[in-house]
PDB file of all heavy atoms in Angstrom:
ATOM      1  N   LEU A  27     -42.033   2.967  36.407  1.00 87.00           N
ATOM      2  CA  LEU A  27     -42.066   3.792  35.199  1.00 87.00           C
ATOM      3  C   LEU A  27     -40.650   4.318  34.934  1.00 87.00           C
ATOM      4  O   LEU A  27     -40.264   5.395  35.344  1.00 87.00           O
ATOM      5  CB  LEU A  27     -43.061   4.935  35.378  1.00 87.00           C
ATOM      6  CG  LEU A  27     -44.522   4.542  35.324  1.00 87.00           C
ATOM      7  CD1 LEU A  27     -45.426   5.689  35.796  1.00 87.00           C
ATOM      8  CD2 LEU A  27     -44.932   4.100  33.925  1.00 87.00           C
ATOM      9  N   ASP A  28     -39.879   3.509  34.229  1.00 82.00           N
ATOM     10  CA  ASP A  28     -38.460   3.772  33.959  1.00 82.00           C
ATOM     11  C   ASP A  28     -38.311   4.103  32.477  1.00 82.00           C
ATOM     12  O   ASP A  28     -38.778   3.357  31.621  1.00 82.00           O
ATOM     13  CB  ASP A  28     -37.657   2.533  34.320  1.00 82.00           C
ATOM     14  CG  ASP A  28     -36.155   2.757  34.223  1.00 82.00           C
ATOM     15  OD1 ASP A  28     -35.742   3.647  33.455  1.00 82.00           O
ATOM     16  OD2 ASP A  28     -35.415   2.054  34.930  1.00 82.00           O
ATOM     17  N   SER A  29     -37.668   5.232  32.182  1.00 75.00           N
ATOM     18  CA  SER A  29     -37.561   5.658  30.774  1.00 75.00           C
ATOM     19  C   SER A  29     -36.651   4.727  29.973  1.00 75.00           C
ATOM     20  O   SER A  29     -36.685   4.786  28.737  1.00 75.00           O
ATOM     21  CB  SER A  29     -37.013   7.089  30.694  1.00 75.00           C
ATOM     22  OG  SER A  29     -35.723   7.168  31.282  1.00 75.00           O
ATOM     23  N   THR A  30     -35.875   3.885  30.634  1.00 71.00           N
ATOM     24  CA  THR A  30     -35.018   2.945  29.888  1.00 71.00           C
ATOM     25  C   THR A  30     -35.632   1.555  29.788  1.00 71.00           C
ATOM     26  O   THR A  30     -35.073   0.653  29.185  1.00 71.00           O
ATOM     27  CB  THR A  30     -33.644   2.817  30.578  1.00 71.00           C
ATOM     28  OG1 THR A  30     -33.820   2.204  31.879  1.00 71.00           O
ATOM     29  CG2 THR A  30     -32.957   4.159  30.739  1.00 71.00           C
ATOM     30  N   TYR A  31     -36.804   1.398  30.377  1.00 60.00           N
ATOM     31  CA  TYR A  31     -37.442   0.081  30.462  1.00 60.00           C
ATOM     32  C   TYR A  31     -38.206  -0.209  29.183  1.00 60.00           C
ATOM     33  O   TYR A  31     -39.044   0.566  28.749  1.00 60.00           O
ATOM     34  CB  TYR A  31     -38.380   0.055  31.683  1.00 60.00           C
ATOM     35  CG  TYR A  31     -39.290  -1.132  31.783  1.00 60.00           C
ATOM     36  CD1 TYR A  31     -38.792  -2.425  31.754  1.00 60.00           C
ATOM     37  CD2 TYR A  31     -40.665  -0.960  31.937  1.00 60.00           C
ATOM     38  CE1 TYR A  31     -39.640  -3.517  31.869  1.00 60.00           C
ATOM     39  CE2 TYR A  31     -41.506  -2.049  32.082  1.00 60.00           C
ATOM     40  CZ  TYR A  31     -40.998  -3.315  32.042  1.00 60.00           C
ATOM     41  OH  TYR A  31     -41.819  -4.403  32.142  1.00 60.00           O
ATOM     42  N   ARG A  32     -37.987  -1.376  28.577  1.00 54.00           N
ATOM     43  CA  ARG A  32     -38.702  -1.744  27.357  1.00 54.00           C
ATOM     44  C   ARG A  32     -40.075  -2.361  27.673  1.00 54.00           C
ATOM     45  O   ARG A  32     -41.033  -2.116  26.988  1.00 54.00           O
ATOM     46  CB  ARG A  32     -37.866  -2.740  26.545  1.00 54.00           C
ATOM     47  CG  ARG A  32     -36.590  -2.110  25.974  1.00 54.00           C
ATOM     48  CD  ARG A  32     -36.887  -1.051  24.960  1.00 54.00           C
ATOM     49  NE  ARG A  32     -37.644  -1.566  23.835  1.00 54.00           N
ATOM     50  CZ  ARG A  32     -38.208  -0.822  22.903  1.00 54.00           C
ATOM     51  NH1 ARG A  32     -38.138   0.490  22.970  1.00 54.00           N
ATOM     52  NH2 ARG A  32     -38.871  -1.366  21.907  1.00 54.00           N
ATOM     53  N   GLY A  33     -40.112  -3.221  28.662  1.00 56.00           N
ATOM     54  CA  GLY A  33     -41.353  -3.732  29.219  1.00 56.00           C
ATOM     55  C   GLY A  33     -42.378  -4.269  28.247  1.00 56.00           C
ATOM     56  O   GLY A  33     -42.079  -4.588  27.117  1.00 56.00           O
ATOM     57  N   ALA A  34     -43.609  -4.393  28.731  1.00 57.00           N
ATOM     58  CA  ALA A  34     -44.704  -4.970  27.935  1.00 57.00           C
ATOM     59  C   ALA A  34     -45.464  -3.876  27.235  1.00 57.00           C
ATOM     60  O   ALA A  34     -46.548  -3.493  27.626  1.00 57.00           O
ATOM     61  CB  ALA A  34     -45.614  -5.783  28.839  1.00 57.00           C
ATOM     62  N   GLN A  35     -44.872  -3.319  26.177  1.00 58.00           N
ATOM     63  CA  GLN A  35     -45.512  -2.240  25.440  1.00 58.00           C
ATOM     64  C   GLN A  35     -46.158  -2.786  24.202  1.00 58.00           C
ATOM     65  O   GLN A  35     -45.829  -3.876  23.723  1.00 58.00           O
ATOM     66  CB  GLN A  35     -44.470  -1.173  25.064  1.00 58.00           C
ATOM     67  CG  GLN A  35     -43.640  -0.655  26.219  1.00 58.00           C
ATOM     68  CD  GLN A  35     -44.478   0.100  27.239  1.00 58.00           C
ATOM     69  OE1 GLN A  35     -45.514   0.673  26.871  1.00 58.00           O
ATOM     70  NE2 GLN A  35     -44.033   0.141  28.479  1.00 58.00           N
ATOM     71  N   TYR A  36     -47.091  -2.041  23.611  1.00 58.00           N
ATOM     72  CA  TYR A  36     -47.657  -2.414  22.323  1.00 58.00           C
ATOM     73  C   TYR A  36     -46.494  -2.505  21.308  1.00 58.00           C
ATOM     74  O   TYR A  36     -45.697  -1.587  21.192  1.00 58.00           O
ATOM     75  CB  TYR A  36     -48.667  -1.402  21.833  1.00 58.00           C
ATOM     76  CG  TYR A  36     -50.001  -1.491  22.519  1.00 58.00           C
ATOM     77  CD1 TYR A  36     -50.327  -0.690  23.605  1.00 58.00           C
ATOM     78  CD2 TYR A  36     -50.952  -2.406  22.075  1.00 58.00           C
ATOM     79  CE1 TYR A  36     -51.551  -0.778  24.239  1.00 58.00           C
ATOM     80  CE2 TYR A  36     -52.194  -2.500  22.702  1.00 58.00           C
ATOM     81  CZ  TYR A  36     -52.470  -1.697  23.781  1.00 58.00           C
ATOM     82  OH  TYR A  36     -53.684  -1.791  24.390  1.00 58.00           O
ATOM     83  N   PRO A  37     -46.404  -3.606  20.568  1.00 53.00           N
ATOM     84  CA  PRO A  37     -45.269  -3.801  19.665  1.00 53.00           C
ATOM     85  C   PRO A  37     -45.074  -2.673  18.659  1.00 53.00           C
ATOM     86  O   PRO A  37     -43.953  -2.361  18.294  1.00 53.00           O
ATOM     87  CB  PRO A  37     -45.614  -5.118  18.942  1.00 53.00           C
ATOM     88  CG  PRO A  37     -46.509  -5.861  19.886  1.00 53.00           C
ATOM     89  CD  PRO A  37     -47.306  -4.762  20.565  1.00 53.00           C
ATOM     90  N   THR A  38     -46.164  -2.065  18.202  1.00 52.00           N
ATOM     91  CA  THR A  38     -46.033  -1.007  17.190  1.00 52.00           C
ATOM     92  C   THR A  38     -45.820   0.365  17.794  1.00 52.00           C
ATOM     93  O   THR A  38     -45.648   1.337  17.058  1.00 52.00           O
ATOM     94  CB  THR A  38     -47.320  -0.973  16.311  1.00 52.00           C
ATOM     95  OG1 THR A  38     -48.451  -0.858  17.183  1.00 52.00           O
ATOM     96  CG2 THR A  38     -47.448  -2.234  15.488  1.00 52.00           C
ATOM     97  N   ILE A  39     -45.782   0.450  19.124  1.00 56.00           N
ATOM     98  CA  ILE A  39     -45.594   1.728  19.785  1.00 56.00           C
ATOM     99  C   ILE A  39     -44.219   1.806  20.477  1.00 56.00           C
ATOM    100  O   ILE A  39     -43.531   2.797  20.371  1.00 56.00           O
ATOM    101  CB  ILE A  39     -46.707   2.015  20.821  1.00 56.00           C
ATOM    102  CG1 ILE A  39     -48.052   2.131  20.107  1.00 56.00           C
ATOM    103  CG2 ILE A  39     -46.413   3.263  21.626  1.00 56.00           C
ATOM    104  CD1 ILE A  39     -49.232   2.286  21.041  1.00 56.00           C
ATOM    105  N   GLY A  40     -43.863   0.728  21.168  1.00 54.00           N
ATOM    106  CA  GLY A  40     -42.582   0.737  21.863  1.00 54.00           C
ATOM    107  C   GLY A  40     -42.655   1.429  23.210  1.00 54.00           C
ATOM    108  O   GLY A  40     -43.733   1.747  23.718  1.00 54.00           O
ATOM    109  N   ASN A  41     -41.499   1.719  23.769  1.00 55.00           N
ATOM    110  CA  ASN A  41     -41.451   2.368  25.093  1.00 55.00           C
ATOM    111  C   ASN A  41     -41.871   3.823  24.990  1.00 55.00           C
ATOM    112  O   ASN A  41     -41.280   4.603  24.277  1.00 55.00           O
ATOM    113  CB  ASN A  41     -40.007   2.262  25.633  1.00 55.00           C
ATOM    114  CG  ASN A  41     -39.921   2.838  27.033  1.00 55.00           C
ATOM    115  OD1 ASN A  41     -40.937   2.969  27.725  1.00 55.00           O
ATOM    116  ND2 ASN A  41     -38.743   3.181  27.468  1.00 55.00           N
ATOM    117  N   ARG A  42     -42.907   4.179  25.745  1.00 72.00           N
ATOM    118  CA  ARG A  42     -43.449   5.542  25.701  1.00 72.00           C
ATOM    119  C   ARG A  42     -43.233   6.321  27.005  1.00 72.00           C
ATOM    120  O   ARG A  42     -43.857   7.345  27.209  1.00 72.00           O
ATOM    121  CB  ARG A  42     -44.936   5.509  25.357  1.00 72.00           C
ATOM    122  CG  ARG A  42     -45.266   4.712  24.112  1.00 72.00           C
ATOM    123  CD  ARG A  42     -44.648   5.273  22.861  1.00 72.00           C
ATOM    124  NE  ARG A  42     -45.208   6.581  22.528  1.00 72.00           N
ATOM    125  CZ  ARG A  42     -44.866   7.308  21.449  1.00 72.00           C
ATOM    126  NH1 ARG A  42     -43.947   6.827  20.638  1.00 72.00           N
ATOM    127  NH2 ARG A  42     -45.429   8.471  21.193  1.00 72.00           N
ATOM    128  N   VAL A  43     -42.387   5.822  27.861  1.00 81.00           N
ATOM    129  CA  VAL A  43     -42.046   6.567  29.092  1.00 81.00           C
ATOM    130  C   VAL A  43     -40.911   7.506  28.769  1.00 81.00           C
ATOM    131  O   VAL A  43     -39.778   7.078  28.502  1.00 81.00           O
ATOM    132  CB  VAL A  43     -41.678   5.628  30.251  1.00 81.00           C
ATOM    133  CG1 VAL A  43     -41.387   6.443  31.500  1.00 81.00           C
ATOM    134  CG2 VAL A  43     -42.778   4.619  30.518  1.00 81.00           C
ATOM    135  N   ARG A  44     -41.160   8.785  28.780  1.00 84.00           N
ATOM    136  CA  ARG A  44     -40.150   9.787  28.423  1.00 84.00           C
ATOM    137  C   ARG A  44     -40.117  10.893  29.476  1.00 84.00           C
ATOM    138  O   ARG A  44     -41.137  11.422  29.851  1.00 84.00           O
ATOM    139  CB  ARG A  44     -40.425  10.365  27.034  1.00 84.00           C
ATOM    140  CG  ARG A  44     -40.354   9.312  25.932  1.00 84.00           C
ATOM    141  CD  ARG A  44     -40.780   9.853  24.587  1.00 84.00           C
ATOM    142  NE  ARG A  44     -40.705   8.829  23.550  1.00 84.00           N
ATOM    143  CZ  ARG A  44     -41.201   8.990  22.311  1.00 84.00           C
ATOM    144  NH1 ARG A  44     -41.803  10.097  21.979  1.00 84.00           N
ATOM    145  NH2 ARG A  44     -41.071   7.997  21.445  1.00 84.00           N
ATOM    146  N   TYR A  45     -38.916  11.216  29.915  1.00 86.00           N
ATOM    147  CA  TYR A  45     -38.698  12.281  30.871  1.00 86.00           C
ATOM    148  C   TYR A  45     -37.853  13.380  30.220  1.00 86.00           C
ATOM    149  O   TYR A  45     -36.922  13.103  29.492  1.00 86.00           O
ATOM    150  CB  TYR A  45     -37.952  11.775  32.104  1.00 86.00           C
ATOM    151  CG  TYR A  45     -38.702  10.684  32.878  1.00 86.00           C
ATOM    152  CD1 TYR A  45     -38.002   9.590  33.381  1.00 86.00           C
ATOM    153  CD2 TYR A  45     -40.045  10.787  33.135  1.00 86.00           C
ATOM    154  CE1 TYR A  45     -38.665   8.605  34.085  1.00 86.00           C
ATOM    155  CE2 TYR A  45     -40.712   9.821  33.865  1.00 86.00           C
ATOM    156  CZ  TYR A  45     -40.003   8.713  34.327  1.00 86.00           C
ATOM    157  OH  TYR A  45     -40.661   7.735  35.033  1.00 86.00           O
ATOM    158  N   HIS A  46     -38.216  14.621  30.518  1.00 90.00           N
ATOM    159  CA  HIS A  46     -37.474  15.756  29.964  1.00 90.00           C
ATOM    160  C   HIS A  46     -37.317  16.809  31.063  1.00 90.00           C
ATOM    161  O   HIS A  46     -38.295  17.288  31.632  1.00 90.00           O
ATOM    162  CB  HIS A  46     -38.211  16.378  28.782  1.00 90.00           C
ATOM    163  CG  HIS A  46     -37.594  17.623  28.273  1.00 90.00           C
ATOM    164  ND1 HIS A  46     -36.375  17.645  27.631  1.00 90.00           N
ATOM    165  CD2 HIS A  46     -38.016  18.927  28.312  1.00 90.00           C
ATOM    166  CE1 HIS A  46     -36.067  18.897  27.321  1.00 90.00           C
ATOM    167  NE2 HIS A  46     -37.047  19.688  27.710  1.00 90.00           N
ATOM    168  N   PRO A  47     -36.058  17.171  31.409  1.00 92.00           N
ATOM    169  CA  PRO A  47     -35.859  18.167  32.479  1.00 92.00           C
ATOM    170  C   PRO A  47     -36.214  19.587  31.994  1.00 92.00           C
ATOM    171  O   PRO A  47     -35.647  20.078  31.031  1.00 92.00           O
ATOM    172  CB  PRO A  47     -34.360  18.038  32.772  1.00 92.00           C
ATOM    173  CG  PRO A  47     -33.756  17.519  31.510  1.00 92.00           C
ATOM    174  CD  PRO A  47     -34.784  16.631  30.888  1.00 92.00           C
ATOM    175  N   LEU A  48     -37.142  20.204  32.665  1.00 91.00           N
ATOM    176  CA  LEU A  48     -37.534  21.590  32.384  1.00 91.00           C
ATOM    177  C   LEU A  48     -36.712  22.568  33.216  1.00 91.00           C
ATOM    178  O   LEU A  48     -36.327  23.634  32.758  1.00 91.00           O
ATOM    179  CB  LEU A  48     -39.020  21.781  32.627  1.00 91.00           C
ATOM    180  CG  LEU A  48     -39.971  20.986  31.717  1.00 91.00           C
ATOM    181  CD1 LEU A  48     -41.419  21.291  32.093  1.00 91.00           C
ATOM    182  CD2 LEU A  48     -39.737  21.302  30.229  1.00 91.00           C
ATOM    183  N   TYR A  49     -36.516  22.221  34.484  1.00 93.00           N
ATOM    184  CA  TYR A  49     -35.690  22.979  35.391  1.00 93.00           C
ATOM    185  C   TYR A  49     -34.575  22.060  35.887  1.00 93.00           C
ATOM    186  O   TYR A  49     -34.834  20.904  36.203  1.00 93.00           O
ATOM    187  CB  TYR A  49     -36.500  23.515  36.589  1.00 93.00           C
ATOM    188  CG  TYR A  49     -37.465  24.637  36.271  1.00 93.00           C
ATOM    189  CD1 TYR A  49     -38.632  24.352  35.538  1.00 93.00           C
ATOM    190  CD2 TYR A  49     -37.246  25.905  36.726  1.00 93.00           C
ATOM    191  CE1 TYR A  49     -39.522  25.370  35.251  1.00 93.00           C
ATOM    192  CE2 TYR A  49     -38.131  26.936  36.443  1.00 93.00           C
ATOM    193  CZ  TYR A  49     -39.266  26.651  35.705  1.00 93.00           C
ATOM    194  OH  TYR A  49     -40.165  27.668  35.432  1.00 93.00           O
ATOM    195  N   THR A  50     -33.378  22.572  36.011  1.00 93.00           N
ATOM    196  CA  THR A  50     -32.264  21.766  36.484  1.00 93.00           C
ATOM    197  C   THR A  50     -31.586  22.480  37.655  1.00 93.00           C
ATOM    198  O   THR A  50     -31.668  23.702  37.793  1.00 93.00           O
ATOM    199  CB  THR A  50     -31.226  21.529  35.391  1.00 93.00           C
ATOM    200  OG1 THR A  50     -30.594  22.784  35.027  1.00 93.00           O
ATOM    201  CG2 THR A  50     -31.867  20.902  34.142  1.00 93.00           C
ATOM    202  N   MET A  51     -30.916  21.702  38.487  1.00 94.00           N
ATOM    203  CA  MET A  51     -30.211  22.288  39.653  1.00 94.00           C
ATOM    204  C   MET A  51     -29.131  23.236  39.242  1.00 94.00           C
ATOM    205  O   MET A  51     -29.055  24.375  39.782  1.00 94.00           O
ATOM    206  CB  MET A  51     -29.652  21.141  40.512  1.00 94.00           C
ATOM    207  CG  MET A  51     -30.704  20.354  41.252  1.00 94.00           C
ATOM    208  SD  MET A  51     -31.643  21.336  42.439  1.00 94.00           S
ATOM    209  CE  MET A  51     -30.382  21.708  43.632  1.00 94.00           C
ATOM    210  N   PRO A  52     -28.251  22.914  38.285  1.00 94.00           N
ATOM    211  CA  PRO A  52     -27.183  23.861  37.924  1.00 94.00           C
ATOM    212  C   PRO A  52     -27.700  25.191  37.396  1.00 94.00           C
ATOM    213  O   PRO A  52     -27.157  26.255  37.690  1.00 94.00           O
ATOM    214  CB  PRO A  52     -26.369  23.107  36.865  1.00 94.00           C
ATOM    215  CG  PRO A  52     -26.660  21.680  37.103  1.00 94.00           C
ATOM    216  CD  PRO A  52     -28.087  21.646  37.579  1.00 94.00           C
ATOM    217  N   ARG A  53     -28.761  25.120  36.573  1.00 95.00           N
ATOM    218  CA  ARG A  53     -29.257  26.339  35.932  1.00 95.00           C
ATOM    219  C   ARG A  53     -30.277  27.092  36.767  1.00 95.00           C
ATOM    220  O   ARG A  53     -30.290  28.323  36.864  1.00 95.00           O
ATOM    221  CB  ARG A  53     -29.853  25.980  34.574  1.00 95.00           C
ATOM    222  CG  ARG A  53     -30.255  27.190  33.721  1.00 95.00           C
ATOM    223  CD  ARG A  53     -31.003  26.738  32.486  1.00 95.00           C
ATOM    224  NE  ARG A  53     -32.308  26.141  32.850  1.00 95.00           N
ATOM    225  CZ  ARG A  53     -32.983  25.397  32.016  1.00 95.00           C
ATOM    226  NH1 ARG A  53     -32.537  25.100  30.800  1.00 95.00           N
ATOM    227  NH2 ARG A  53     -34.160  24.875  32.393  1.00 95.00           N
ATOM    228  N   ASP A  54     -31.187  26.297  37.418  1.00 94.00           N
ATOM    229  CA  ASP A  54     -32.374  26.924  38.062  1.00 94.00           C
ATOM    230  C   ASP A  54     -32.419  26.767  39.578  1.00 94.00           C
ATOM    231  O   ASP A  54     -33.299  27.332  40.223  1.00 94.00           O
ATOM    232  CB  ASP A  54     -33.646  26.312  37.464  1.00 94.00           C
ATOM    233  CG  ASP A  54     -33.676  26.422  35.945  1.00 94.00           C
ATOM    234  OD1 ASP A  54     -33.716  27.554  35.449  1.00 94.00           O
ATOM    235  OD2 ASP A  54     -33.613  25.355  35.279  1.00 94.00           O
ATOM    236  N   GLY A  55     -31.569  25.932  40.135  1.00 96.00           N
ATOM    237  CA  GLY A  55     -31.580  25.720  41.583  1.00 96.00           C
ATOM    238  C   GLY A  55     -32.700  24.827  42.075  1.00 96.00           C
ATOM    239  O   GLY A  55     -32.901  24.715  43.264  1.00 96.00           O
TER     240      GLY A  55
END
């Protein structure tokens, strides 16, 4: 499950693997 991977997705949807950092080491430890 790689957020940069295009893979075998539904053609009309595309890549739906998305990651978003909520806590980060520099800010939150």
Side-chain angles (χ1 to χ4, degrees):
L27 287 169
D28 187 334
S29 61
T30 65
Y31 170 55
R32 293 294 300 169
Q35 307 294 333
Y36 283 97
T38 53
I39 296 176
N41 183 20
R42 306 298 293 183
V43 182
R44 296 174 180 170
Y45 299 137
H46 174 68
L48 297 179
Y49 288 71
T50 66
M51 290 298 292
R53 187 188 66 198
D54 306 295

